């Protein structure tokens, strides 16, 4: 699983393995409206290819084009325009790097199943990242700074705490989405079908909150003290336990519950309405935490998630969400 959003700031090796050194490519000129949904989509796609992007603003999208807006890509003497799929194929063929795919979700895959799997993928990536970071902290014991840009041991713990707080919020919103939107759909079709999944949510909560408290303790301890090292060991152990529980819980949902989505026989209208309700519940994930969330997805999965966002019938809201990830 890889990082889908390249970042300019330096990171600890334990945090995120940086992408391979980027080659120098010609500047890509993207001709389109800054308000165009398609332009925002293609700009996001180009973030994965380590290119230099020059946005050339054109007139606003034509009335009746569904908010897509005409988009043209120019690389040297090459000029390409057309549908989203055409542009993505050109980007994949022209620039090395992880494949973006078509960006389209399989039409036979229920929307809520795609949404849930994307959340699982991102959360597991972030949990694994925190586990590796905690292991690295424990090994160093607060005595060695790997990356000066991270600062002192106490400054690093603050960064660690911020990352875990974002992950915790993401996980809490995901659980809330499942409990208020997804699970009731299953229970309506077969009472008690989601009972085990709900019980696992309750089981995981004390562990998740416990990790937060341990991080607070680490933050106030002397980095050279035995208590500091003991707290780091406890933190590492608890995060590994959370990782194991998440893997088990997500796997059970994906094997036992999500395949039954088709059996619910929701109409397209009902599916889209439920998807929009999920986005409403996950306000943090769709706003402040959107880049953090997408960072945990491989590029082709990130593009598919944007495809889910594009199904929102509120075009202004969809445009607002897409603009957040390219600014």
């Amino acid at each position: 699983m890889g990082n889908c959003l390249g970042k300019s700031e330096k990171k600890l090796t334990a945090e995120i393995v940086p992408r391979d050194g980027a080659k120098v490519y010609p500047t890509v000129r993207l001709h389109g409206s800054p308000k165009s949904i398609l332009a925002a989509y293609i700009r996001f796609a180009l973030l994965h290819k380590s290119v230099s992007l020059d946005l050339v603003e054109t007139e606003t999208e034509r009335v009746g084009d569904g908010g897509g807006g005409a988009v043209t890509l120019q690389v040297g003497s090459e000029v390409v325009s057309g549908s989203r799929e055409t542009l993505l194929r050109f980007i994949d063929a022209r620039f090395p790097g992880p494949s973006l795919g078509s960006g389209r979700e399989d039409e036979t895959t229920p929307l809520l199943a795609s949404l849930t799997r994307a959340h699982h993928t991102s959360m597991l990536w972030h949990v694994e990242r925190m586990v590796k970071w905690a292991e690295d902290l424990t090994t160093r014991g607060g005595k060695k700074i790997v990356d000066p840009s991270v600062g002192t041991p106490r400054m690093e713990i603050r960064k660690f705490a911020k990352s875990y707080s974002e992950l915790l919020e993401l996980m809490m919103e995901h659980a809330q989405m499942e409990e208020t939107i997804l699970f009731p759909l299953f229970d309506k079709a077969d009472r008690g079908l989601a009972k085990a999944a709900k019980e696992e949510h309750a089981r995981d909560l004390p562990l998740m909150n416990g990790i937060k408290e341990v991080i607070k303790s680490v933050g106030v301890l002397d980095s050279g003290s035995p208590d500091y090292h003991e707290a780091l060991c406890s933190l590492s152990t608890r995060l590994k336990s959370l990782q194991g529980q998440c893997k088990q819980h997500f796997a059970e949902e994906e094997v036992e519950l999500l395949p039954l989505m088709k059996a619910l026989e929701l109409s397209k209208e009902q599916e889209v309405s439920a998807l929009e309700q999920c986005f409403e519940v996950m306000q943090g994930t769709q706003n402040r935490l959107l880049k953090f969330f997408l960072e945990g997805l491989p590029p082709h999965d990130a593009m598919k998630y944007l495809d889910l966002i594009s199904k929102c019938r509120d075009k202004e809201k969809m445009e607002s969400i897409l603009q957040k990830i390219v600014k």
Side-chain angles (χ1 to χ4, degrees):
M1 204 177 300
N3 182 342
C4 86
L5 285 177
K7 292 191 174 182
S8 59
E9 67 266 20
K10 295 180 181 179
K11 294 180 177 297
L12 284 175
T13 303
E15 288 188 70
I16 298 175
V17 177
R19 295 190 302 184
D20 294 334
K23 296 180 180 179
V24 177
Y25 296 109
T27 296
V28 177
R29 305 191 76 189
L30 188 155
H31 300 258
S33 165
K35 294 184 178 180
S36 165
I37 293 169
L38 178 58
Y41 188 93
I42 296 303
R43 286 172 67 188
F44 178 74
L46 287 167
L47 289 177
H48 304 99
K49 296 296 186 177
S50 299
V51 299
S52 176
L53 178 62
D54 181 15
L55 178 62
V56 182
E57 296 186 12
T58 60
E59 294 181 3
T60 57
E61 55 266 25
R62 299 184 299 272
V63 176
D65 68 0
V71 170
T72 299
L73 293 179
Q74 181 180 354
V75 186
S77 61
E78 296 178 87
V79 178
V80 178
S81 60
S83 68
R84 173 166 58 178
E85 288 73 23
T86 297
L87 294 171
L88 287 179
R89 283 196 296 269
F90 170 76
I91 293 171
D92 263 342
R94 184 65 173 76
F95 303 107
S99 173
L100 302 173
S102 67
R104 291 288 187 182
E105 184 63 57
D106 182 351
E107 291 297 326
T108 64
T109 303
L111 299 180
L112 297 190
S114 297
L115 179 75
T116 304
R117 288 194 181 98
H119 286 182
H120 290 171
T121 298
S122 178
M123 289 186 291
L124 281 177
W125 187 86
H126 279 291
V127 170
E128 181 179 2
R129 171 180 177 265
M130 299 302 296
V131 166
K132 290 180 178 179
W133 194 355
E135 288 177 338
D136 186 62
L137 281 167
T138 304
T139 300
R140 288 185 282 124
K143 298 178 181 178
K144 182 180 178 182
I145 298 176
V146 176
D147 187 344
S149 68
V150 174
T152 65
R154 187 158 293 174
M155 291 166 68
E156 183 177 358
I157 290 299
R158 289 198 191 103
K159 296 176 189 295
F160 187 96
K162 181 177 181 292
S163 290
Y164 182 73
S165 292
E166 291 174 330
L167 173 59
L168 183 59
E169 184 176 354
L170 183 65
M171 297 178 79
M172 295 295 287
E173 283 200 346
H174 172 77
Q176 185 182 8
M177 177 276 289
E178 289 189 329
E179 291 173 6
T180 59
I181 309 298
L182 190 63
F183 293 167
L185 289 173
F186 287 118
D187 287 338
K188 184 178 179 180
D190 186 347
R191 185 184 297 274
L193 190 59
K195 181 181 178 182
K198 286 184 281 189
E199 289 175 347
E200 288 182 355
H201 282 185
R203 176 203 67 186
D204 294 341
L205 188 58
L207 176 59
M208 292 159 60
N209 288 332
I211 291 171
K212 187 175 182 180
E213 294 305 312
V214 174
I215 295 173
K216 288 181 181 178
S217 298
V218 174
V220 298
L221 291 171
D222 182 350
S223 62
S225 70
D227 288 343
Y228 182 84
H229 185 266
E230 184 178 340
L232 285 178
C233 289
S234 175
L235 175 61
S236 181
T237 299
R238 289 173 186 239
L239 279 167
K240 288 175 183 177
S241 294
L242 178 62
Q243 182 182 36
Q245 290 186 13
C246 286
K247 285 182 177 180
Q248 178 187 355
H249 174 62
F250 296 163
E252 288 173 354
E253 284 188 353
E254 294 186 16
V255 171
E256 298 172 10
L257 275 183
L258 296 188
L260 298 178
M261 283 299 306
K262 290 183 180 180
L264 298 180
E265 297 182 335
L266 299 179
S267 67
K268 284 296 181 184
E269 175 74 17
Q270 289 173 319
E271 273 200 285
V272 172
S273 293
L275 181 67
E276 290 175 333
Q277 291 175 46
C278 290
F279 288 147
E280 283 296 320
V281 170
M282 301 180 297
Q283 286 293 321
T285 304
Q286 297 306 116
N287 290 281
R288 292 179 297 100
L289 299 176
L290 185 56
K291 285 188 177 181
F292 178 83
F293 167 74
L294 291 172
E295 187 179 28
L297 294 178
H300 64 279
D301 284 346
M303 300 308 296
K304 288 180 179 179
Y305 192 81
L306 263 61
D307 193 42
L308 291 174
I309 293 174
S310 72
K311 294 185 182 297
C312 291
R313 289 168 292 191
D314 185 337
K315 298 305 178 184
E316 287 188 7
K317 180 177 292 187
M318 177 175 61
E319 177 188 311
S320 174
I321 293 173
L322 293 177
Q323 290 297 334
K324 283 183 175 67
I325 62 176
V326 294
K327 287 183 178 179

